[in-house]
Amino acid sequence: MIHSSPSRFFSYRNSRICALVVAPVVILAAMSAVAHPGHDGAGHGGFLAGLLHPMLGVDHLLAMLAIGLWSVRQQGRLSRFVPGLMVAGMWGGAALAWNGLPLPGVETGIALSVLLAGVLVATLTRLPGMLGGSLVAAFMLFHGHAHGSELPAGASLLTYLIGFSLATVAIAVVGKGLGTLLQRCETRWVRALGATIAAIGGAFALS
């Protein structure tokens, strides 16, 4: 009688766990991208609008999730400070919008941030701290400008700012948690998730 080795058993078990983690994310991302719901329903109240805006826009959600996921494999301070860099970039973009300063190609920039963040995840790319931090801040500048431009009429600027800042940190932390979990998996699962996000970003850029 042939018995499976313990290492084979645990490898099979880890593979199943990874599939159960990655598959729902891929399916939900793909379905949301097809619907591309935008930001409907985020226009009630300053804090609530700010909180929901990044979560109801699938382009914002996927970019932030991918950046959080990618940050797990980065070195030192870059890995730790990514959520803060994301918020700083958002604030910078929102400040431009609130001061009436245009940012050319905002929608294209957002779509490309989803595409490039997905590519970084799929290729397991590690970047020097300064370059990686600048890239994250630049990505989020476009997202922040979009958030700032869509401040609901009559909403409090401060509570809106607090809302989307909290949402940004929360999504980044979820992405980092997912990345930490997937570190136990074979890299093909991480690559598959990154490739899916990149493909969705490419679809956004072409639409």
Side-chain angles (χ1 to χ4, degrees):
M1 186 175 182
I2 300 174
H3 297 279
S4 297
S5 67
S7 61
R8 252 178 122 182
F9 170 75
F10 285 114
S11 176
Y12 174 71
R13 185 182 173 206
N14 283 342
S15 183
R16 288 192 66 187
I17 291 172
C18 295
L20 290 172
V21 171
V22 172
V25 177
V26 170
I27 292 169
L28 285 173
M31 290 175 63
S32 298
V34 171
H36 201 184
H39 318 109
D40 294 339
H44 302 288
F47 177 77
L48 185 60
L51 190 67
L52 293 180
H53 197 277
M55 299 181 184
L56 295 180
V58 67
D59 42 9
H60 299 306
L61 181 62
L62 286 180
M64 296 177 194
L65 195 65
I67 292 170
L69 178 59
W70 166 78
S71 71
V72 172
R73 293 179 177 271
Q74 304 311 299
Q75 300 293 325
R77 293 182 179 179
L78 177 58
S79 179
R80 294 195 300 272
F81 294 152
V82 155
L85 290 168
M86 291 171 67
V87 171
M90 293 275 280
W91 286 355
L96 291 176
W98 290 334
N99 283 285
L101 299 174
L103 187 61
V106 170
E107 291 302 322
T108 300
I110 290 172
L112 289 178
S113 74
V114 179
L115 169 62
L116 293 176
V119 169
L120 289 174
V121 172
T123 56
L124 309 177
T125 299
R126 287 183 175 176
L127 295 176
M130 186 66 70
L131 176 59
S134 299
L135 194 61
V136 169
F139 284 168
M140 300 317 296
L141 194 71
F142 291 99
H143 292 266
H145 196 282
H147 289 327
S149 300
E150 294 173 16
L151 174 69
S156 164
L157 188 152
L158 178 60
T159 57
Y160 184 72
L161 179 69
I162 292 171
F164 76 64
S165 297
L166 288 176
T168 299
V169 172
I171 296 168
V173 168
V174 169
K176 292 192 75 170
L178 182 62
T180 300
L181 181 61
L182 289 178
Q183 276 192 322
R184 303 173 187 176
C185 304
E186 296 178 23
T187 57
R188 63 193 173 102
W189 297 105
V190 180
R191 291 182 186 277
L193 185 54
T196 301
I197 293 172
I200 292 170
F204 287 161
L206 295 173
S207 62

